[in-house]
Each structure stands twice: as C-alpha cells, then as structure tokens.
Amino acid sequence: MKNCILLCLIIVNVFSFGSYAQQSKIDSGDKKYENYAYIDAIKTYEKVANKGYKSEDMFKKLGNAYYFNSDFEGAAKWYGELFAMNNAVEPEYYYRYAQSLKSTGQIDKANRLLGEFNAKNKTDNRAKLYEADVNYLDQIKANSGRYNIENAGINSKYSDYGTFVHDNKIYFASARDTGNFSKRKHKWTGEYFTNLYIADVDSSKVKKFKTSLNSKFHESSPVVTKDGNTIYFTRNNFADGKKGKDEEKATLIKIYKATLKDGKWTNIVPLPFTSDNYSTAHPALSPDEKTLYFASDMPGTLGQSDIYKVSVNGTDSYGPPENLGKSINTEGKETFPYVTNEKEIYFASDGHPGLGGLDVFVGNLEDNGTVSGIQNLGADVNSPKDDFAYVIDPATRVGYFSSNKDGGQGSDDIYKFLETRRLKCIQELNGVITDAKTGAILPGATVSLYDNQVVKNTTTADAAGNYVLPVECGKTYNVRAEKEDYETKEVSITIGRVTGKTSLPIALDRGICRVTVGDDLGVCFGIKMIYFDLDKSNIRSEAAIDLEKILAVLNDHPTMKLDIRSHTDSRATFKYNEALSDRRAKSTIQWLIKNGVDKSRLTGKGYGETQLVNKCADGVECTEAEHQENRRSEFIITAL
C-alpha cells in the first residue's frame, strides 16, 4: 500500500511537471504572439499542439499567426482544429476560416461558412457584400481572360513587391539584401527587412536604391512626383537613428517624404498626420498630385485597415485625413490604393468577395468622394493567395502587380501585365425618332436622358432621325422624346452590363390635343393617376415624371389655371378616403408651386369616393381593374 501511494505520488508529480512545462511554453508563445513575433509564436505553439495539447485560445492564435502572414494553408489547418472543438466562436473566425479555405481550393465549404458568417453578423459590411452578390464567382469568371501576364524579370528568391514607374524606371521593395555579416529578420514574418530597389523598365538589372532613404528596417511602396523632386514611401517608424514606439512598445509604420536636392534625397520626415500609435502606409498620388491616398488603421478606421485620403495643399501642408467610407472600406483589410486619370481607384482587399487572401479590385471615384461600381479584376490577376499593389498606365494598359501565388520565385513576386480587354463597361444608347402612324423620320426631335428625375444629357435627332447618348452599364434610365406638334413620350430602358450599344427607337404620336376651359389636361398626356405610396401622400418618382408634363404646359401657357382633383375607390371608410384624397391633391399643388407655378393659378381638393365613375360602391364586388378606374387624378382647366 505504501509503495502504491509512493507510485501514485510520482505519477501525479510527473503529470504536474508536464502540465507546468506545457503551460510555460504556452505562456512563452503568448508573449511572442502579443509582440507580433508570429513566426516564433507558431514554432512554440505547434510544439505544444503536436504533443496533443488542445486549447481554443491557442488554436485561435495559431490560425491568426498564419493568417496575418498570408499562409492560408496553415491558417485553415488550425482554424479547422478550432471549429472541431467549438463552432460557437466569434463571427470573425468564420470569416477568416472561410478566406483561408478559399485559398486552399475549398470554395463550397468556404461559401457555407460565409453564409453562417452573414447569419451571425448581418451588420458587418463584408456580410452585406456577400449577401448582395452570392454569385460573386460568376462576376470573377466574367472578368477573367483579359490579361497577358509574365514574370517582371526583377524577382529574387526573397520577397519583391510594390512597384511604381517613373521616368522609365521601376521602383520597388525587396528583401534580397540579407547583409554581409548578419542577417536581420522581421519577427512578424520571419523574412528579411525590405529596402527600395530600382531597375530600368524591361531590364533585369536591379540596383539597390543607394540613398539615405533605405534604413536597417523596412522601406516599401515608393511614389515619385512627376517632376522627380519629391518621393513618398513607407518605412518602419525610424528616424534620426531612433525607433518610435506605440503605447505597447511596438514599432509601427509611417509614410515618409523626402526631397531631391543636388542629386541627393534629403529632409526625410514623416508626414504630419502620421503617429507612433497607428500605422500609415502605401501612399498613392492622384494624377494632379493634389490628393494623397493611403492605407491606415488610425482611429475611425472601419476594419483592420482602411483607405484614406488627404489634400496636398503645398510643399509641407496637408489637409486632415478623410476615410473613403463604407462604399469601399470593410471590416477587413483595404490597402495599396492606386488612382488613375480615368477616376478609377484600384485597391487590394480581403473584405470584398474574392478568391481568397487579398484580391485586387477597381471602383469609380465619384465627385462626392464615394466609390461606386467596385469589381473584382478577375482570376488572371487574382488568385487564392495575396494579390496586391496593382498599378497601370491608362494609355498603354501596361502595368504591374504583386502576389505570393503559387509558381513564383520568392514569397512575393512582381508580375508585369498587358490588359487586352477593358473591364470598364462602355455603352451607347441610340435609336431613331419616327412618326408612330406613318413611320416617317423626325429630324430635330429633342431627346433627353433622365436618371432619377435628373437630366443627365440632352441631344437632338439628326437629319436621319437618329440620336446617340452615352450611358452607364447596368443602369435604368428614362428617355424623353419631344417634338413640336407631337405628343411627348417617355420610355424606360435598362442598359446592358457589357460593352456595346443599346437600341431604343421611339415613335411619337402626332398632334398634342387641343384643350379648352373645362377639359382635363391629364387626359392629354394619358395621366390617369398621380401615384403615391400606399396610404401616403408623398410624391413618388413616377408621379414627378407625369407632373413635369403638366408643369411644362403651365410654363408654356402662363395664364392657364388648373383645379386639381384627387379621387379614391370605395374601399376604406368614407372619411378616410376623403382625407387621404385631399392630402394628395394638396401635395400635388405644393409640388407645382415648389417648381415655380404661382399658387394663384392652382386650386384643388380631394373628393374621396364621392364621384365614382362606375358601379363599384361600398359592398359591390368589383375587379381590381374596375377599382382602378375610380382611383384617378384630374387637372381641370379653369382659365386660359
């Protein structure tokens, strides 16, 4: 018995020692993880995991360490272990696991997880984007096959990425210089620090950018002004021989600026809106060089990193940073912006629906500062891995991008491309204006293009009756054709989503009706009813289009007066119908007054169900069409 007790104590002590040793390693891994030493953290965690130790927290950190280093195969493995233990984890892990699975080719499983992510976190912009475009792979397929791509010829077995072309030279970042005596590696990635390099375009001869711009830490993503006298670039927070650190003692990254003087880069300073406490990176200048775009995780960022812009007001003056907003930024990473003179912004994102990792997207920069029409560039540029740092010459359609996709020479490689087919959809709306009865062409007809009641363009039919208008792909417009002695006609048209032409012939009926006092002007234009939302009296867009026809006649006949009468069917109570129709008549009058008609020319009231035009009174069974006859608006001419 004594020996048994002794043996049991020995066994307990052995297990206690083993548990203590495991916990010690876990604590060591946590410390490395918290200090962003992800490669070292992975080694420590995996030693423990491979001995059978299981922990949700450890699996999360293992998955994250791989994920943040774009090793999606490793991330998928450990996120898989996490979900095997417990799938009731934070929604973010559903998204990261799905992204990792995409990168390993498990698209169906990834999409199922994205569906669960959407169900758990409907407020997340990434969830909304996925829900709005669950068939995103079809768009990616349609956008593929548009590039000739080749190795840029300047890659090494180390990381090479982030290009900028200036004066027939290509600037980029590379980790190829490992040092003569010591090899300095970044603890986050386990790779050597990058410096700036330069090569002639179409040359494989690469030279280190031998200037004071390069330090012993990271430099990357340079952009040079057109005059060649200013350079913006990304660097670890390091200046005057000192590292800047945030509150957690971590050295982040900043955008720096330098000026060329007597052939040397001098006055190397961080931009004034940078900080020790957040990162700013990957600068890009607008074509007029009055705006600087960049990526940051500064306070106010929607996700892991967002795209911002600042105005460049002078040599050393910048406006406040402006987040480009939810039209482009998600709860994920948006980074590496690039802007062209065609008002396009290219960027990398893992928040918009893609093939896995970072994909390259393009959107339109609108005048109000938002980004519209965002599209994935397709599977030529994009892959299941990280694809980013896309730049293009809009004239030649030649450019570069960076990727760690399979088949490269190093962890990141630079690829050169020629875009053989534009992604931007260009559409033309055309047609011929004719007489509806005789088919005769009607030269000189005015054709106007309306987008949400706003005139976007107007043209005149030529001698052959033809008109041509530029339009945007995928949009729905109203097209209005007008000619003297003909009734105005308005037609709705939805434009195709691929480059081409959309035909819309319009036939006009001859002879605007002649009216006199007592006539209903609405009958002239076929206006049976001014449309309102159910039980409301707000003017709808369809109603505004019809009211513009009435407005045009009133403007052409300044002495004309109208009595506006609104009617309902017999359904609902007598009192309710009377009040509703009266509100609608008054809303119609107010719309006309707001658009310039003197109120003295307008009278009106609602008649409810008191002037039915058929049998459909209370208690009488009628069809919907018969009830519709009673729901009408009248514009009775009271003076000319």
Side-chain angles (χ1 to χ4, degrees):
M1 186 68 177
K2 183 177 180 181
N3 289 338
C4 179
I5 292 172
L6 179 61
L7 178 61
C8 289
L9 287 173
I10 290 171
I11 292 172
V12 169
N13 285 336
V14 168
F15 276 108
S16 297
F17 177 78
S19 177
Y20 173 79
Q22 284 181 333
Q23 188 57 51
S24 178
K25 288 180 180 178
I26 292 294
D27 291 342
S28 173
D30 288 347
K31 185 174 181 180
K32 293 168 184 174
Y33 181 89
E34 289 163 6
N35 288 326
Y36 307 104
Y38 292 133
I39 298 302
D40 292 338
I42 287 171
K43 292 176 182 176
T44 302
Y45 286 140
E46 285 189 337
K47 284 180 182 178
V48 178
N50 290 335
K51 290 181 179 180
Y53 180 80
K54 295 179 182 290
S55 160
E56 287 184 34
D57 183 66
M58 184 184 72
F59 289 151
K60 286 178 182 178
K61 290 175 178 175
L62 254 174
N64 290 343
Y66 276 109
Y67 188 84
F68 296 150
N69 273 304
S70 300
D71 185 337
F72 299 112
E73 187 173 350
K77 174 184 176 181
W78 294 112
Y79 287 146
E81 292 290 339
L82 169 65
F83 275 72
M85 285 190 71
N86 178 17
N87 60 9
V89 295
E90 298 95 321
E92 184 64 27
Y93 286 95
Y94 282 81
Y95 191 83
R96 291 178 187 173
Y97 190 21
Q99 288 291 92
S100 302
L101 288 170
K102 282 187 197 177
S103 295
T104 60
Q106 300 178 69
I107 301 297
D108 290 341
K109 186 175 180 181
N111 284 339
R112 284 198 299 273
L113 280 164
L114 284 174
E116 293 182 57
F117 171 74
N118 178 39
K120 291 176 178 291
N121 199 6
K122 287 187 175 293
T123 60
D124 192 297
N125 200 29
R126 293 168 298 178
K128 293 176 182 177
L129 289 168
Y130 175 73
E131 185 179 34
D133 193 11
V134 292
N135 298 317
Y136 67 94
L137 290 173
D138 293 337
Q139 185 200 63
I140 292 174
K141 183 178 179 180
N143 291 349
S144 302
R146 304 182 302 107
Y147 290 90
N148 293 332
I149 297 174
E150 61 183 357
N151 186 302
I154 55 175
N155 293 305
S156 67
K157 64 180 181 179
Y158 302 100
S159 180
D160 304 285
Y161 69 94
T163 54
F164 183 80
V165 179
H166 173 72
D167 196 21
N168 213 37
K169 295 183 185 297
I170 182 170
Y171 298 76
F172 64 100
S174 177
R176 68 187 66 197
D177 185 358
T178 60
N180 295 324
F181 301 104
S182 63
K183 297 182 178 182
R184 304 185 66 258
K185 290 186 176 181
H186 189 209
K187 291 182 179 180
W188 181 310
T189 63
E191 296 190 359
Y192 301 110
F193 284 87
T194 60
N195 287 145
L196 301 182
Y197 285 76
I198 190 170
D200 290 332
V201 172
D202 297 327
S203 171
S204 60
K205 187 176 180 180
V206 175
K207 297 181 293 184
K208 191 173 183 179
F209 202 34
K210 292 188 178 298
T211 71
S212 54
L213 299 181
N214 283 324
S215 70
K216 60 183 179 179
F217 296 104
H218 279 304
E219 282 81 30
S220 68
S221 49
V223 55
V224 183
T225 54
K226 292 174 184 176
D227 62 12
N229 292 329
T230 303
I231 188 170
Y232 298 93
F233 64 101
T234 306
R235 176 195 274 181
N236 276 117
N237 188 2
F238 180 77
D240 300 325
K242 296 181 179 180
K243 290 193 295 182
K245 296 183 178 182
D246 67 4
E247 295 171 352
E248 298 179 355
K249 307 301 181 183
T251 298
L252 304 179
I253 52 178
K254 289 184 176 182
I255 298 174
Y256 284 76
K257 173 188 175 184
T259 53
L260 191 65
K261 187 176 182 181
D262 298 327
K264 294 183 178 180
W265 290 106
T266 62
N267 192 27
I268 304 171
V269 294
L271 294 186
F273 52 84
T274 62
S275 169
D276 291 348
N277 293 314
Y278 55 79
S279 289
T280 52
H282 313 314
L285 281 168
S286 61
D288 62 7
E289 300 186 346
K290 293 181 179 180
T291 305
L292 184 74
Y293 295 84
F294 62 96
S296 180
D297 61 354
M298 66 175 60
T301 298
L302 302 175
Q304 296 170 48
S305 66
D306 285 0
I307 296 175
Y308 287 79
K309 68 177 179 179
V310 295
S311 59
V312 181
N313 300 328
T315 305
D316 294 304
S317 176
Y318 302 86
E322 298 177 50
N323 190 303
L324 264 62
K326 290 185 177 181
S327 61
I328 182 172
N329 292 315
T330 70
E331 286 78 0
K333 287 182 289 187
E334 278 69 46
T335 185
F336 285 97
Y338 182 75
V339 176
T340 73
N341 58 10
E342 296 182 337
K343 289 190 173 182
E344 291 179 322
I345 181 167
Y346 293 88
F347 63 100
S349 171
D350 65 3
H352 292 264
L355 295 175
L358 291 170
D359 275 19
V360 181
F361 297 82
V362 63
N364 302 314
L365 281 171
E366 302 293 345
D367 293 338
N368 62 5
T370 61
V371 180
S372 67
I374 291 175
Q375 294 193 65
N376 187 296
L377 290 191
D380 308 301
V381 169
N382 292 318
S383 72
K385 301 296 179 66
D386 278 339
D387 312 286
F388 58 99
Y390 182 102
V391 298
I392 187 171
D393 182 329
T396 64
R397 311 311 294 177
V398 171
Y400 299 86
F401 70 95
S402 305
S403 178
N404 66 347
K405 63 183 176 180
D406 295 339
Q409 291 177 234
S411 58
D412 294 307
D413 287 289
I414 298 169
Y415 294 86
K416 183 179 181 180
F417 66 79
L418 170 65
E419 187 186 46
T420 58
R421 175 170 60 88
R422 296 288 295 266
L423 177 60
K424 188 173 184 179
C425 180
I426 301 172
Q427 269 277 354
E428 173 190 285
L429 178 66
N430 61 49
V432 59
I433 310 299
T434 59
D435 184 298
K437 187 174 183 179
T438 66
I441 60 172
L442 299 179
T446 300
V447 183
S448 301
L449 186 74
Y450 284 79
D451 181 10
N452 290 327
Q453 305 176 45
V454 177
V455 180
K456 302 296 290 185
N457 210 335
T458 299
T459 189
T460 302
D462 64 16
N466 294 310
Y467 73 92
V468 176
L469 290 165
V471 287
E472 292 183 37
C473 299
K475 293 199 70 169
T476 298
Y477 297 94
N478 285 312
V479 183
R480 180 182 297 176
E482 302 170 277
K483 186 170 175 60
E484 189 176 357
D485 295 330
Y486 283 84
E487 292 184 20
T488 297
K489 189 171 185 179
E490 195 158 317
V491 183
S492 179
I493 182 73
T494 299
I495 307 302
R497 291 184 175 275
V498 297
T499 294
K501 298 180 179 181
T502 299
S503 178
L504 179 64
I506 301 176
L508 299 182
D509 292 314
R510 190 173 182 82
I512 295 177
C513 58
R514 306 301 176 187
V515 292
T516 186
V517 173
D519 288 344
D520 183 356
L521 188 57
V523 174
C524 240
F525 297 104
I527 302 172
K528 296 180 180 178
M529 178 179 177
I530 296 298
Y531 287 92
F532 300 87
D533 287 327
L534 182 65
D535 294 336
K536 294 183 179 179
S537 55
N538 299 328
I539 300 295
R540 280 173 46 176
S541 58
E542 302 97 312
I545 291 171
D546 280 337
L547 286 177
E548 284 182 355
K549 300 172 185 177
I550 302 294
L551 178 64
V553 174
L554 287 170
N555 288 337
D556 289 340
H557 300 81
T559 60
M560 180 182 286
K561 294 183 179 181
L562 294 180
D563 183 47
I564 296 165
R565 305 171 184 177
S566 177
H567 303 268
T568 70
D569 59 35
S570 62
R571 292 177 292 187
T573 67
F574 180 92
K575 185 177 181 181
Y576 178 84
N577 284 334
E578 186 177 41
L580 176 63
S581 63
D582 199 56
R583 290 198 305 272
R584 289 177 169 180
K586 286 180 170 56
S587 290
T588 304
I589 291 172
Q590 287 303 313
W591 189 95
L592 291 168
I593 292 172
K594 183 180 177 181
N595 285 274
V597 179
D598 190 286
K599 63 181 180 180
S600 65
R601 300 172 63 191
L602 304 170
T603 57
K605 63 176 288 188
Y607 291 85
E609 58 183 272
T610 62
Q611 296 184 6
L612 301 177
V613 296
N614 56 26
K615 64 178 182 178
C616 300
D618 290 337
V620 177
E621 186 175 343
C622 287
T623 65
E624 182 60 36
E626 288 173 320
H627 281 302
Q628 177 66 62
E629 290 177 13
N630 291 313
R631 298 195 303 273
R632 65 198 191 278
S633 299
E634 297 173 327
F635 298 85
I636 306 302
I637 301 171
T638 58
L640 282 173

